[in-house]
Amino acid sequence: SHWIYRFNEKYKNNALFILDNSKLNEGIKYNNLSVYPPKHLKNFNRDSIFIIITTGNYPSVIYELEKMGFKAGKNFCCCPLLKIRKDIEDQKIIDKDLLVSSHMHSFEKDKGGGLYLFNLFSNKFIKLYTGKCRGICRNREFYFAVDMLEGILVLNKSFKLTKVFKLPKNSEAHGISYYKNKIYVVCAGRDSILILNSKNGHYINEIFISSKWKKNKQDNHHLNDIHIDKNGIFVSMFSFKGQWLLDKYDGGVIHISNDLKLKKRVIGNLFMPHSVKIFRGKNYVCDSMRGELLINGKTFFKCSGFTRGIDFDNKNIFVGVNEHRYPEKVSSNDKLLGISIN
């Protein structure tokens, strides 16, 4: 009844009657239209009427009509208002594999930290590697993944480990990005971005976000994830001022020019941001503690979890969501999150 009402209100159609499989509705009138069972269609020439489906259960109705000899487009269609419902249903049949990392510090054969290949259609996964893994990137030949305890993993297209690039002490590596034969590794423990040769892992350069680390050897800004392209380097962090260990979260995204000379804030006021991406000219970032995905600084998606991880195909955005890593901080910010911890 909801969809029939909305359809009549919007399109003012000249409907003849309503069809419904429910025997409880046979013989009643709704919206001044008589309700009949589907067998009522036998009283009409198939090409003399046109059927408009106005139920969210449209897949089963389509199947039933086709069994009766009606053809989609010629004899029936779905109400245009149902398009959003179709978009949701289409999500359930996406048959794609997602490469997912986990940094859990428990390592088991089929769970815990590592790399997983997860199929969206079957909801089944294969564990490819066991370790404390974070960021992932790739070029045409290899996948590069961060294992915080081992270094940078280099895997071939079959996800077989071929080599490991070692990292400096206290790196606490998080995000990783590939660009023009170089790997850019975000080292949260050093407040820096380490640049390595992608073929042999040799050191090229290290970009420090500020002078703080050289003075105190602490994770001051808590850099997270990175995106790099022809327009420069984009990095997410918990604190611009470098005071996240004092629970001061003035986080956001900075842009570093390709010549490494210019650093500029592009998005601010974020609460523990992760997963910065530039895709088709738009800036994406997870405002993780608020459970949001932002596009060009504006909220596009919000949930009750901790958002981290973004990827794309031609039609969909894939966002990783996990439980809150800092529940002790939620209660003091419950107005932001819409939840509370007792």
PDB file of all heavy atoms in Angstrom, residues 4 17 42 58 191 204 211 225 234 240 281 290 295 309 323:
ATOM      1  N   ILE A   4       1.988   1.916  -3.617  1.00  0.00           N
ATOM      2  CA  ILE A   4       0.842   2.290  -4.454  1.00  0.00           C
ATOM      3  C   ILE A   4       0.443   3.733  -4.179  1.00  0.00           C
ATOM      4  O   ILE A   4       0.209   4.530  -5.095  1.00  0.00           O
ATOM      5  CB  ILE A   4      -0.363   1.349  -4.197  1.00  0.00           C
ATOM      6  CG1 ILE A   4      -0.053  -0.044  -4.737  1.00  0.00           C
ATOM      7  CG2 ILE A   4      -1.625   1.908  -4.844  1.00  0.00           C
ATOM      8  CD1 ILE A   4      -1.113  -1.061  -4.407  1.00  0.00           C
ATOM      9  N   PHE A  17      -7.177  -1.481 -11.570  1.00  0.00           N
ATOM     10  CA  PHE A  17      -7.367  -2.277 -10.356  1.00  0.00           C
ATOM     11  C   PHE A  17      -5.993  -2.622  -9.770  1.00  0.00           C
ATOM     12  O   PHE A  17      -4.946  -2.344 -10.365  1.00  0.00           O
ATOM     13  CB  PHE A  17      -8.162  -3.555 -10.639  1.00  0.00           C
ATOM     14  CG  PHE A  17      -7.639  -4.370 -11.785  1.00  0.00           C
ATOM     15  CD1 PHE A  17      -6.574  -5.258 -11.629  1.00  0.00           C
ATOM     16  CD2 PHE A  17      -8.216  -4.260 -13.055  1.00  0.00           C
ATOM     17  CE1 PHE A  17      -6.101  -6.003 -12.684  1.00  0.00           C
ATOM     18  CE2 PHE A  17      -7.739  -4.994 -14.127  1.00  0.00           C
ATOM     19  CZ  PHE A  17      -6.673  -5.876 -13.938  1.00  0.00           C
ATOM     20  N   LYS A  42      -6.300 -13.307 -16.274  1.00  0.00           N
ATOM     21  CA  LYS A  42      -6.761 -14.210 -17.323  1.00  0.00           C
ATOM     22  C   LYS A  42      -7.997 -13.670 -18.040  1.00  0.00           C
ATOM     23  O   LYS A  42      -8.355 -14.138 -19.121  1.00  0.00           O
ATOM     24  CB  LYS A  42      -7.058 -15.582 -16.737  1.00  0.00           C
ATOM     25  CG  LYS A  42      -5.814 -16.299 -16.214  1.00  0.00           C
ATOM     26  CD  LYS A  42      -6.149 -17.655 -15.626  1.00  0.00           C
ATOM     27  CE  LYS A  42      -4.905 -18.367 -15.104  1.00  0.00           C
ATOM     28  NZ  LYS A  42      -5.235 -19.698 -14.501  1.00  0.00           N
ATOM     29  N   TYR A  58       9.624  -6.942  -5.576  1.00  0.00           N
ATOM     30  CA  TYR A  58       9.460  -7.006  -7.031  1.00  0.00           C
ATOM     31  C   TYR A  58      10.137  -8.207  -7.703  1.00  0.00           C
ATOM     32  O   TYR A  58       9.628  -8.685  -8.713  1.00  0.00           O
ATOM     33  CB  TYR A  58       9.949  -5.702  -7.676  1.00  0.00           C
ATOM     34  CG  TYR A  58      11.408  -5.422  -7.489  1.00  0.00           C
ATOM     35  CD1 TYR A  58      12.351  -5.933  -8.359  1.00  0.00           C
ATOM     36  CD2 TYR A  58      11.847  -4.641  -6.422  1.00  0.00           C
ATOM     37  CE1 TYR A  58      13.697  -5.693  -8.179  1.00  0.00           C
ATOM     38  CE2 TYR A  58      13.190  -4.393  -6.236  1.00  0.00           C
ATOM     39  CZ  TYR A  58      14.103  -4.918  -7.108  1.00  0.00           C
ATOM     40  OH  TYR A  58      15.436  -4.686  -6.925  1.00  0.00           O
ATOM     41  N   ASP A 191      56.896   9.806  13.023  1.00  0.00           N
ATOM     42  CA  ASP A 191      56.305  11.038  12.482  1.00  0.00           C
ATOM     43  C   ASP A 191      56.809  11.318  11.064  1.00  0.00           C
ATOM     44  O   ASP A 191      57.060  12.468  10.697  1.00  0.00           O
ATOM     45  CB  ASP A 191      56.649  12.245  13.366  1.00  0.00           C
ATOM     46  CG  ASP A 191      55.839  12.307  14.642  1.00  0.00           C
ATOM     47  OD1 ASP A 191      54.796  11.634  14.710  1.00  0.00           O
ATOM     48  OD2 ASP A 191      56.251  13.017  15.578  1.00  0.00           O
ATOM     49  N   ILE A 204      65.554   5.822   0.046  1.00  0.00           N
ATOM     50  CA  ILE A 204      65.702   6.965  -0.852  1.00  0.00           C
ATOM     51  C   ILE A 204      65.636   8.265  -0.068  1.00  0.00           C
ATOM     52  O   ILE A 204      66.488   9.138  -0.210  1.00  0.00           O
ATOM     53  CB  ILE A 204      64.624   6.959  -1.962  1.00  0.00           C
ATOM     54  CG1 ILE A 204      64.799   5.732  -2.864  1.00  0.00           C
ATOM     55  CG2 ILE A 204      64.687   8.238  -2.783  1.00  0.00           C
ATOM     56  CD1 ILE A 204      63.716   5.592  -3.925  1.00  0.00           C
ATOM     57  N   SER A 211      59.559  18.851  13.468  1.00  0.00           N
ATOM     58  CA  SER A 211      60.849  18.610  14.138  1.00  0.00           C
ATOM     59  C   SER A 211      60.680  17.913  15.482  1.00  0.00           C
ATOM     60  O   SER A 211      61.665  17.633  16.162  1.00  0.00           O
ATOM     61  CB  SER A 211      61.574  19.948  14.336  1.00  0.00           C
ATOM     62  OG  SER A 211      60.791  20.816  15.149  1.00  0.00           O
ATOM     63  N   ASP A 225      47.490   7.108   7.092  1.00  0.00           N
ATOM     64  CA  ASP A 225      47.425   6.600   5.721  1.00  0.00           C
ATOM     65  C   ASP A 225      47.873   7.640   4.719  1.00  0.00           C
ATOM     66  O   ASP A 225      47.941   8.837   5.014  1.00  0.00           O
ATOM     67  CB  ASP A 225      46.008   6.122   5.412  1.00  0.00           C
ATOM     68  CG  ASP A 225      45.636   4.899   6.233  1.00  0.00           C
ATOM     69  OD1 ASP A 225      46.452   3.959   6.266  1.00  0.00           O
ATOM     70  OD2 ASP A 225      44.565   4.894   6.847  1.00  0.00           O
ATOM     71  N   PHE A 234      49.233  13.005  -0.017  1.00  0.00           N
ATOM     72  CA  PHE A 234      48.182  13.339   0.940  1.00  0.00           C
ATOM     73  C   PHE A 234      48.287  12.372   2.111  1.00  0.00           C
ATOM     74  O   PHE A 234      48.321  11.156   1.911  1.00  0.00           O
ATOM     75  CB  PHE A 234      46.807  13.253   0.288  1.00  0.00           C
ATOM     76  CG  PHE A 234      46.617  14.212  -0.855  1.00  0.00           C
ATOM     77  CD1 PHE A 234      47.076  13.907  -2.130  1.00  0.00           C
ATOM     78  CD2 PHE A 234      45.995  15.436  -0.647  1.00  0.00           C
ATOM     79  CE1 PHE A 234      46.920  14.787  -3.185  1.00  0.00           C
ATOM     80  CE2 PHE A 234      45.829  16.334  -1.699  1.00  0.00           C
ATOM     81  CZ  PHE A 234      46.291  16.014  -2.966  1.00  0.00           C
ATOM     82  N   PHE A 240      47.507  17.729  14.083  1.00  0.00           N
ATOM     83  CA  PHE A 240      48.389  18.638  13.369  1.00  0.00           C
ATOM     84  C   PHE A 240      49.474  19.195  14.306  1.00  0.00           C
ATOM     85  O   PHE A 240      50.632  19.305  13.947  1.00  0.00           O
ATOM     86  CB  PHE A 240      47.599  19.812  12.777  1.00  0.00           C
ATOM     87  CG  PHE A 240      46.735  19.450  11.605  1.00  0.00           C
ATOM     88  CD1 PHE A 240      45.404  19.842  11.569  1.00  0.00           C
ATOM     89  CD2 PHE A 240      47.249  18.740  10.530  1.00  0.00           C
ATOM     90  CE1 PHE A 240      44.600  19.522  10.481  1.00  0.00           C
ATOM     91  CE2 PHE A 240      46.455  18.411   9.437  1.00  0.00           C
ATOM     92  CZ  PHE A 240      45.125  18.806   9.419  1.00  0.00           C
ATOM     93  N   GLY A 281      39.063  12.973  -8.952  1.00  0.00           N
ATOM     94  CA  GLY A 281      39.090  14.390  -8.601  1.00  0.00           C
ATOM     95  C   GLY A 281      38.489  14.744  -7.266  1.00  0.00           C
ATOM     96  O   GLY A 281      38.459  15.921  -6.893  1.00  0.00           O
ATOM     97  N   ARG A 290      34.244   9.174  14.438  1.00  0.00           N
ATOM     98  CA  ARG A 290      32.842   9.580  14.253  1.00  0.00           C
ATOM     99  C   ARG A 290      32.089   8.595  13.357  1.00  0.00           C
ATOM    100  O   ARG A 290      30.905   8.777  13.081  1.00  0.00           O
ATOM    101  CB  ARG A 290      32.773  10.980  13.646  1.00  0.00           C
ATOM    102  CG  ARG A 290      33.307  12.083  14.565  1.00  0.00           C
ATOM    103  CD  ARG A 290      33.052  13.465  13.969  1.00  0.00           C
ATOM    104  NE  ARG A 290      33.459  14.526  14.866  1.00  0.00           N
ATOM    105  CZ  ARG A 290      34.592  15.231  14.752  1.00  0.00           C
ATOM    106  NH1 ARG A 290      35.418  14.974  13.747  1.00  0.00           N
ATOM    107  NH2 ARG A 290      34.883  16.177  15.609  1.00  0.00           N
ATOM    108  N   ILE A 295      33.545  13.111   1.771  1.00  0.00           N
ATOM    109  CA  ILE A 295      33.939  13.401   0.394  1.00  0.00           C
ATOM    110  C   ILE A 295      34.064  14.904   0.267  1.00  0.00           C
ATOM    111  O   ILE A 295      33.098  15.636   0.526  1.00  0.00           O
ATOM    112  CB  ILE A 295      32.926  12.850  -0.626  1.00  0.00           C
ATOM    113  CG1 ILE A 295      32.756  11.335  -0.471  1.00  0.00           C
ATOM    114  CG2 ILE A 295      33.374  13.184  -2.047  1.00  0.00           C
ATOM    115  CD1 ILE A 295      31.771  10.721  -1.449  1.00  0.00           C
ATOM    116  N   GLY A 309      39.613   2.227   5.875  1.00  0.00           N
ATOM    117  CA  GLY A 309      39.747   1.416   4.671  1.00  0.00           C
ATOM    118  C   GLY A 309      38.755   1.851   3.613  1.00  0.00           C
ATOM    119  O   GLY A 309      37.550   1.842   3.853  1.00  0.00           O
ATOM    120  N   GLU A 323      34.991  -2.474  15.061  1.00  0.00           N
ATOM    121  CA  GLU A 323      34.610  -1.970  16.375  1.00  0.00           C
ATOM    122  C   GLU A 323      35.560  -0.843  16.791  1.00  0.00           C
ATOM    123  O   GLU A 323      36.683  -0.746  16.302  1.00  0.00           O
ATOM    124  CB  GLU A 323      34.645  -3.092  17.408  1.00  0.00           C
ATOM    125  CG  GLU A 323      36.039  -3.661  17.644  1.00  0.00           C
ATOM    126  CD  GLU A 323      36.037  -4.821  18.610  1.00  0.00           C
ATOM    127  OE1 GLU A 323      34.975  -5.144  19.138  1.00  0.00           O
ATOM    128  OE2 GLU A 323      37.107  -5.402  18.833  1.00  0.00           O
TER     129      GLU A 323
END
